[in-house]
Amino acid sequence: MISIRNIKTIFKKELLTVFKDKGVLFTNLFIPLFGLPLYFFFVMQGTNVEVNSKTEFIKDQKTIFNIKLSGDISKEMFSALKKDPKIKPEIVNSTINKELINNYFKAREQIQKYQNDIFQIKEALQLDQKERKEKEDIKKHDKIKYKEALVALNKKFHLDKDAHLHVVIKKSIHNQYWIFYFFHEENKISSSAKSYAEAFFDKYEEKLVKDFKKNKNIVEYDLNPIIQNTINLQAQANPLIKMLTLPIGYIIIILLLITIYNPTINTTIGEHDQNTYKVLLMNPVSPLEIFTGKYLAIAFQGIIFLIPYGMQATIIFTWFGNNFDDFDFAKLTLIKFILILLITSGGSILVSAISFLACSFVKTRLQAQSLLSIVIFSMAIPIIIITIFDLKLNLITMFIPISNIILSFAHILQNNPNLLYIVTAIMINLTYSILIILFTLNAFKVQWKGGSDAKTLSDILILKNRKTENIVPAHAFLAFILAFFGYLYASNIIATFNLDILTFLLTPIFCNLGISMLILFYSQIDLIKVFESKEISVFYLFKLILSAFLLSYMFNIILNIPALKETFQLEINFPDIFENNSFAISLSSFLLFALIPGLTEEILFRGIIFKGFRFQYNFIFSAVTSSLFFAIIHFSFFSWGHTFIIGLFLAYLYEKNGLISCMIFHIAFNSFGISFGMNDAFMRLLDWSPPSLKYAIFPIIITLSIFMLRVKKTTESDL
Amino acid sequence: MSAMSIKNLTKKYKDIIAVDDISFEIPHGEITALLGANGAGKSTTLNIIAGILDPSAGEVTFSNMSYKKNYKEIKSKIGYLTSDMSLYKDFSIYENLMILSELRGFNKQYAKRKIDELSQYLNFKEVLSKNFNEISSGQKQRALIASSILHDPEILIFDEVTASLDIVISKSIMDFLIFEKKKGKAIIFATHILSEVEYISDRILMLERGILIRDTTFCELINESKSMTMTETFCNIFAGEKIAA
């Protein structure tokens, strides 16, 4: 039984120790009071120049294309506007320059003409393709023709740099806001300018109206595609944001760690150094209670010391915020403040966990200090990579510990903080913290109570007791960490270079199979232990495939919900040789998405990770943790749920019947998944399901599958 | 009836066997002395008995309770003290004892009374408000003894507590142990000082390289040996073991 009272006493004692230690107080209070304002002052000095140069650029554009509104809008103009799907005018009572109107019509003509041209070129290309199939000799000639056409197209219309867009917002007498947009220099209009304008309206219509309401005057925007990045924050990281993100994030990491660094060392290694740990251990308090009390105290004091940081940061941003044109630093809302506190709290909890883990590796204070210093600098590596290689603030970064804290701060600095990102990042950090704490607890027990079994991460990493014979949780955790970074790397390659087929082929082989083999070789485990499975009858095989079909069917019904559908569509560029060869595509899809992942993922996630946890923990914990890892590694926010459920199901299958059944199920499940996505007959099957019953059949199918695949316990009479 | 029984206790550190298959019992109302050369495994044995270390094999039972199942129950009946132990340096002696009594589950008033009583009994009342590293080693040791007997333990496990103390303070601690023994407590202590063994021990356990080589009383040892001094007697026994090994 865990006694809350004991945890409370330890917590109180540790917290008092922190506040009695003058060194800790000094580092934790001095930096936020003096260091941070000084740092921000220099950051502001640096960034001001950047922002000013940008605004000047914008102003220059305005001087050329500044248009004032005067004169009535004619009926002609009104009818012309009506034709435009983007503008929905009613009765118009505003004024506009005639010259402008002419420009507008000319622009429209140009666009229509341009669209016709595109259509003609497309048709020509299609014809080319047909010819190419008939006569291969003309192929080369066609290619040249095609290129020439493209060059001509670019020459004619690729004039983004000089095409400008003028936006005017007006309020009608009926309190309806409408937005006009005009192209200038009619000879220089490109399709991208138009599509840009449309995208702009889609995204910023609300904001434009809001701005208009605020100023109560006519608002003009002069937009040039070149400076799109400055305004379109969500599409790409702004250079300013990037510039701020790296140092601020880095400083926050270091501050976070400094506030936690010394207290953690004092409370873990310090007790050994001062020989006070025996005084604690001689009391009727279990190591779990001691550890929990200590951890909570460190995380809590981290939060306490971080509040002044958060407050100072917000005050400074409020103070200097007016210097930034595109950011709403000045608008410090309550939500933003709460979010800052939440992020710092989540960070403190995670960093405390990491510090405890680091301290549980070592035996002396000096070792702890050096290890934690290395940790401080290695923490910043992912964020440096993200900044240097210009990776997008996409969903993948949510899964990188520490970096997601910094990127959450970057989100807060923007006009519209992505709440989903921030909250999910905090949740993910908490999950990591819990996992790290679970492992640290084990190492802590060994450190404090001198256990000798190599069950902890520290034992594995310090190369103690290499011959363990069994797959242990530490192996599982190590395998996950290696695979995580492997997958992260691969997904970034996919995003950057589009080497689809190759990466889809190599990732499972290197990440799953390679890491599994590394762990197996490293820990010298008998291969048979991983592949242990019961014999499968033909009937059982049939049942496996049937349940795989049913589950795949069930998930495809979910995936067919329109909002989610896009996320799941496979976007693979098959090489030219596969073109129109459905057999080759099906075969390669089967290989890439069913056979190889089915075989390799099972070895890693069930053979190593699940079995590793199962060595020490009960079925539920092992199944949940391994499925969580399984889901994390798929790096897709929306498919989290279903990979998790499939992970649980496969864990159940492994527990009952061994690895071979899992492999067969996985291959079958993925094959059906591909069929539902590619094959017309399968697709039609999805339409049959009655919509009202969609959700009701899930539990039925799961229960049915579990019931089907259960294995009777072998009783003595059977033997 | 024995207070604590130790069965087939073994502790391995990597390839070194610190304690090798020891079994003995600690009876009530007796003082058991644990003797042995440096590195013989005395402290390891006492650490395992006190539940500070986990054994590699074997078990320690306290009236049918084992550490695995009744960790807290056993802990609340054991008082443990070593020479290298220390209280928290950032807190005063009083605060230290208050934290420990809180962990023992005492209420504040009872804890205050108990600390008052013990500080008078062990004669360190004047340093209660001082920090641990501001007081003399004798006072430190007495404060530590107070911390180990706050809860009236049935078994006292003392590991070289007099190692760095002068004779007067050592004797006062020995007298305290005899007084506690008379209350019916089981006491086991490790030491290098033979005069202490002579003064208080009822029973002597001798350890050599993790193996229990003798389980005798002081009188038996004296009768058995031919030499005149205690030191020679012990040296002969350990030397004999070494030659035999």
Side-chain angles (χ1 to χ4, degrees):
Chain A
M1 266 297 287
I2 294 170
S3 153
I4 304 292
R5 191 196 151 102
N6 284 347
I7 294 174
K8 216 175 85 187
T9 314
I10 302 272
F11 176 82
K12 215 167 74 185
K13 181 227 133 197
E14 293 300 337
L15 216 58
L16 270 173
T17 314
V18 171
F19 286 104
K20 282 195 175 186
D21 190 331
K22 280 165 193 160
V24 172
L25 272 185
F26 179 75
T27 46
N28 287 5
L29 287 176
F30 173 78
I31 299 167
L33 277 180
F34 301 101
L36 208 61
L38 209 66
Y39 167 73
F40 277 117
F41 178 73
F42 285 112
V43 168
M44 295 303 164
Q45 292 303 308
T47 47
N48 269 347
V49 178
E50 188 78 8
V51 174
N52 284 340
S53 66
K54 283 257 146 84
T55 41
E56 271 166 25
F57 179 58
I58 297 164
K59 272 173 196 163
D60 280 346
Q61 299 296 325
K62 270 185 182 168
T63 50
I64 302 166
F65 300 103
N66 195 16
I67 296 150
K68 281 174 188 168
L69 299 170
S70 60
D72 291 327
I73 284 184
S74 63
K75 278 184 184 176
E76 269 176 282
M77 172 83 178
F78 181 69
S79 56
L81 286 169
K82 244 185 172 176
K83 281 176 196 165
D84 196 311
K86 278 284 154 209
I87 300 169
K88 287 165 194 160
E90 284 186 56
I91 302 162
V92 183
N93 192 19
S94 63
T95 55
I96 230 158
N97 196 319
K98 266 194 180 177
E99 196 187 330
L100 243 172
I101 297 163
N102 288 333
N103 279 344
Y104 177 75
F105 285 125
K106 277 176 188 169
R108 285 193 65 82
E109 271 171 29
Q110 281 284 335
I111 290 162
Q112 274 166 8
K113 206 177 165 189
Y114 165 65
Q115 279 168 341
N116 286 335
D117 283 357
I118 288 179
F119 184 69
Q120 278 167 11
I121 288 164
K122 268 187 184 170
E123 249 183 8
L125 286 173
Q126 276 173 358
L127 279 171
D128 279 358
Q129 272 187 356
K130 278 177 191 171
E131 280 170 17
R132 189 169 58 179
K133 273 176 194 169
E134 286 165 5
K135 291 177 186 177
E136 282 192 9
D137 295 345
I138 313 168
K139 201 175 176 183
K140 280 183 184 174
H141 177 69
D142 278 345
K143 271 195 174 175
I144 295 161
K145 239 177 132 184
Y146 175 73
K147 275 184 183 169
E148 276 174 358
L150 270 181
V151 170
L153 195 77
N154 280 338
K155 264 190 183 174
K156 203 169 180 184
F157 302 107
H158 192 72
L159 294 160
D160 297 23
K161 282 184 182 177
D162 298 304
H164 297 279
L165 180 75
H166 188 79
V167 183
V168 178
I169 304 170
K170 280 229 67 169
K171 191 180 175 187
S172 75
I173 43 168
H174 295 288
N175 280 343
Q176 275 193 326
Y177 300 97
W178 28 297
I179 300 160
F180 305 154
Y181 61 93
F182 302 97
F183 295 104
H184 300 283
E185 299 197 7
E186 61 273 19
N187 296 325
K188 295 175 178 178
I189 292 159
S190 69
S191 73
S192 55
K194 180 160 163 44
S195 62
Y196 168 57
E198 281 168 0
F200 180 83
F201 286 126
D202 283 343
K203 253 183 187 165
Y204 292 101
E205 205 159 346
E206 268 182 33
K207 191 193 174 304
L208 294 172
V209 172
K210 219 175 171 181
D211 280 4
F212 176 78
K213 276 183 186 169
K214 197 167 64 184
N215 291 331
K216 289 181 180 172
N217 279 317
I218 291 160
V219 178
E220 292 178 30
Y221 289 89
D222 213 326
L223 304 175
N224 185 320
I226 304 169
I227 50 164
Q228 183 180 352
N229 283 351
T230 331
I231 293 152
N232 197 352
L233 283 176
Q234 275 153 342
Q236 256 187 327
N238 186 292
L240 173 74
I241 281 266
K242 254 164 48 183
M243 230 178 78
L244 278 172
T245 304
L246 181 64
I248 286 185
Y250 197 71
I251 288 285
I252 285 168
I253 288 178
I254 288 172
L255 295 184
L256 257 167
L257 274 166
I258 282 174
T259 51
I260 286 156
Y261 183 97
N262 278 327
T264 314
I265 293 174
N266 284 345
T267 194
T268 52
I269 306 294
E271 295 244 15
H272 278 264
D273 270 9
Q274 300 191 348
N275 271 315
T276 46
Y277 77 106
K278 283 181 182 172
V279 175
L280 266 191
L281 281 178
M282 77 182 194
N283 289 296
V285 186
S286 68
L288 178 69
E289 288 162 0
I290 295 176
F291 180 79
T292 316
K294 279 173 183 291
Y295 172 70
L296 290 179
I298 297 299
F300 183 70
Q301 67 89 25
I303 295 169
I304 289 179
F305 282 122
L306 281 167
I307 290 173
Y309 287 65
M311 282 173 66
Q312 277 205 0
T314 40
I315 289 166
I316 291 163
F317 277 130
T318 316
W319 197 270
F320 291 101
N322 297 328
N323 293 332
F324 298 91
D325 278 0
D326 299 323
F327 302 102
D328 274 352
F329 288 135
K331 283 180 203 157
L332 174 66
T333 55
L334 185 68
I335 291 173
K336 272 191 182 180
F337 188 68
I338 291 169
L339 276 177
I340 286 174
L341 288 187
L342 269 179
I343 292 168
T344 43
S345 309
S348 168
I349 287 163
L350 178 66
V351 173
S352 308
I354 292 169
S355 306
F356 264 77
L357 185 69
C359 281
S360 71
F361 282 152
V362 294
K363 290 232 159 66
T364 65
R365 183 175 278 267
L366 192 69
Q367 284 174 338
Q369 279 167 347
S370 14
L371 187 64
L372 273 177
S373 310
I374 295 168
V375 168
I376 286 181
F377 288 103
S378 58
M379 289 281 176
I381 291 171
I383 189 69
I384 289 170
I385 292 170
I386 289 167
T387 322
I388 290 174
F389 293 104
D390 199 16
L391 302 177
K392 288 171 191 168
L393 295 177
N394 56 18
L395 290 175
I396 292 172
T397 56
M398 245 168 25
F399 296 91
I400 310 173
I402 303 299
S403 297
N404 56 17
I405 300 173
I406 300 154
L407 297 174
S408 299
F409 274 106
H411 272 289
I412 283 214
L413 296 185
Q414 295 181 8
N415 268 335
N416 309 307
N418 188 341
L419 280 176
L420 184 72
Y421 184 98
I422 293 166
V423 173
T424 323
I426 291 168
M427 295 310 291
I428 283 168
N429 279 346
L430 288 180
T431 317
Y432 283 136
S433 307
I434 291 164
L435 287 172
I436 292 170
I437 282 300
L438 278 172
F439 289 102
T440 314
L441 185 63
N442 229 324
F444 182 82
K445 269 187 190 166
V446 172
Q447 194 188 46
W448 279 51
K449 297 211 70 191
S452 57
D453 300 331
K455 287 171 190 171
T456 66
L457 195 62
S458 59
D459 283 347
I460 299 296
L461 291 182
I462 310 172
L463 303 175
K464 267 195 265 168
N465 294 320
R466 269 190 45 168
K467 285 181 188 172
T468 46
E469 289 171 9
N470 264 307
I471 312 163
V472 295
H475 291 139
F477 197 54
L478 195 65
F480 166 68
I481 288 173
L482 290 175
F484 176 82
F485 284 106
Y487 273 88
L488 192 69
Y489 181 70
S491 62
N492 275 327
I493 286 183
I494 292 170
T496 324
F497 299 111
N498 239 16
L499 298 167
D500 291 343
I501 279 220
L502 198 65
T503 33
F504 275 109
L505 187 70
L506 292 180
T507 314
I509 289 174
F510 277 111
C511 292
N512 300 336
L513 203 61
I515 288 163
S516 310
M517 289 303 137
L518 188 77
I519 297 282
L520 290 175
F521 172 74
Y522 177 62
S523 48
Q524 304 182 350
I525 301 160
D526 206 347
L527 267 179
I528 296 162
K529 284 200 170 172
V530 176
F531 285 97
E532 250 175 4
S533 36
K534 289 174 187 165
E535 270 185 44
I536 300 166
S537 63
V538 179
F539 183 55
Y540 194 80
L541 191 73
F542 168 74
K543 286 198 287 188
L544 266 177
I545 293 170
L546 182 66
S547 63
F549 172 78
L550 288 174
L551 280 166
S552 180
Y553 180 61
M554 168 181 125
F555 284 120
N556 272 285
I557 292 170
I558 310 175
L559 306 197
N560 265 319
I561 296 167
L564 301 184
K565 207 172 177 180
E566 269 180 41
T567 328
F568 294 105
Q569 274 172 357
L570 297 171
E571 288 174 3
I572 309 128
N573 302 326
F574 286 102
D576 285 346
I577 43 164
F578 287 172
E579 218 168 279
N580 292 329
N581 187 342
S582 63
F583 178 72
I585 288 175
S586 313
L587 189 70
S588 54
S589 305
F590 175 72
L591 272 174
L592 288 176
F593 304 111
L595 191 67
I596 294 171
L599 294 175
T600 56
E601 279 178 16
E602 285 317 301
I603 295 174
L604 180 69
F605 286 98
R606 252 56 63 182
I608 305 271
I609 292 179
F610 174 74
K611 203 180 169 66
F613 285 114
R614 196 68 184 88
F615 180 68
Q616 210 176 341
Y617 301 105
N618 58 14
F619 170 74
I620 292 172
F621 176 80
S622 320
V624 168
T625 318
S626 67
S627 313
L628 205 65
F629 287 171
F630 187 54
I632 285 174
I633 270 182
H634 280 78
F635 285 125
S636 172
F637 182 65
F638 292 107
S639 66
W640 243 44
H642 98 262
T643 34
F644 183 72
I645 293 169
I646 286 297
L648 287 178
F649 190 78
L650 283 165
Y652 167 80
L653 214 57
Y654 185 81
E655 178 87 0
K656 290 281 171 198
N657 229 14
L659 196 67
I660 306 294
S661 322
C662 292
M663 284 174 168
I664 294 169
F665 178 86
H666 199 145
I667 295 167
F669 179 82
N670 282 16
S671 310
F672 286 122
I674 300 162
S675 310
F676 279 119
M678 288 168 75
N679 190 302
D680 288 340
F682 274 96
M683 278 177 171
R684 251 173 272 134
L685 209 60
L686 291 177
D687 299 332
W688 287 354
S689 62
S692 55
L693 278 175
K694 265 182 188 177
Y695 297 97
I697 49 170
F698 301 155
I700 298 170
I701 288 180
I702 288 182
T703 336
L704 188 71
S705 302
I706 290 173
F707 182 73
M708 257 194 326
L709 296 173
R710 83 196 191 285
V711 177
K712 278 180 195 167
K713 277 182 186 171
T714 44
T715 52
E716 280 179 32
S717 57
D718 287 341
L719 294 166
Chain B
M1 200 205 126
S2 65
M4 210 159 201
S5 67
I6 288 94
K7 276 178 204 158
N8 305 65
L9 206 68
T10 304
K11 179 75 186 175
K12 286 178 192 170
Y13 292 109
K14 288 181 191 169
D15 301 330
I16 304 155
I17 300 170
V19 178
D20 193 0
D21 200 17
I22 311 182
S23 305
F24 62 91
E25 299 202 332
I26 309 167
H28 279 292
E30 243 182 52
I31 297 182
T32 311
L34 202 57
L35 286 180
N38 285 332
K42 297 189 300 293
S43 294
T44 311
T45 312
L46 291 183
N47 274 338
I48 295 169
I49 296 173
I52 304 283
L53 276 181
D54 284 341
S56 309
E59 64 170 353
V60 179
T61 50
F62 179 93
S63 53
N64 295 329
M65 292 190 292
S66 69
Y67 274 117
K68 272 188 183 169
K69 285 177 186 167
N70 310 79
Y71 183 84
K72 287 184 184 175
E73 282 93 329
I74 300 185
K75 283 276 172 180
S76 59
K77 281 171 181 166
I78 282 179
Y80 173 70
L81 186 61
T82 70
S83 56
D84 61 2
M85 231 147 117
S86 158
L87 293 177
Y88 292 103
K89 284 172 179 120
D90 298 321
F91 296 98
S92 70
I93 304 292
Y94 179 76
E95 284 168 331
N96 264 306
L97 293 175
M98 277 309 269
I99 290 168
L100 293 174
S101 22
E102 225 173 294
L103 288 174
R104 292 280 176 198
F106 300 165
N107 66 26
K108 259 192 182 169
Q109 282 185 333
Y110 178 76
K112 267 183 195 170
R113 213 171 62 226
K114 192 78 197 170
I115 291 165
D116 204 49
E117 223 172 75
L118 278 175
S119 59
Q120 211 145 32
Y121 172 54
L122 291 166
N123 194 20
F124 65 97
K125 206 171 183 183
E126 68 278 9
V127 294
L128 265 182
S129 59
K130 284 187 178 169
N131 273 18
F132 189 72
N133 47 359
E134 290 169 4
I135 59 177
S136 74
S137 49
Q139 286 163 331
K140 274 181 190 173
Q141 209 63 10
R142 273 175 280 168
L144 276 167
I145 290 174
S147 77
S148 67
I149 58 163
L150 263 175
H151 53 295
D152 276 328
E154 285 179 34
I155 302 170
L156 285 176
I157 301 165
F158 279 23
D159 187 1
E160 292 180 30
V161 282
T162 56
S164 59
L165 302 176
D166 64 46
I167 300 165
V168 181
I169 298 169
S170 297
K171 190 184 173 293
S172 71
I173 290 173
M174 288 301 123
D175 288 339
F176 158 76
L177 284 182
I178 292 170
F179 182 74
E180 292 291 308
K181 176 186 111 178
K182 280 174 187 164
K183 284 187 195 167
K185 288 182 179 173
I187 297 165
I188 180 164
F189 79 106
T191 185
H192 286 302
I193 303 160
L194 294 172
S195 59
E196 284 177 8
V197 179
E198 189 185 355
Y199 186 52
I200 58 166
S201 71
D202 300 309
R203 182 167 161 234
I204 297 171
L205 299 172
M206 291 171 85
L207 279 177
E208 174 64 24
R209 276 182 251 166
I211 301 163
L212 188 65
I213 54 169
R214 289 288 170 93
D215 185 352
T216 57
T217 62
F218 193 76
C219 297
E220 273 177 35
L221 266 183
I222 291 293
N223 291 338
E224 185 190 315
S225 85
K226 287 154 198 165
S227 52
M228 293 303 287
T229 61
M230 276 297 299
T231 317
E232 266 182 45
T233 312
F234 281 95
C235 285
N236 285 341
I237 290 167
F238 285 124
E241 275 301 316
K242 263 175 197 167
I243 292 159

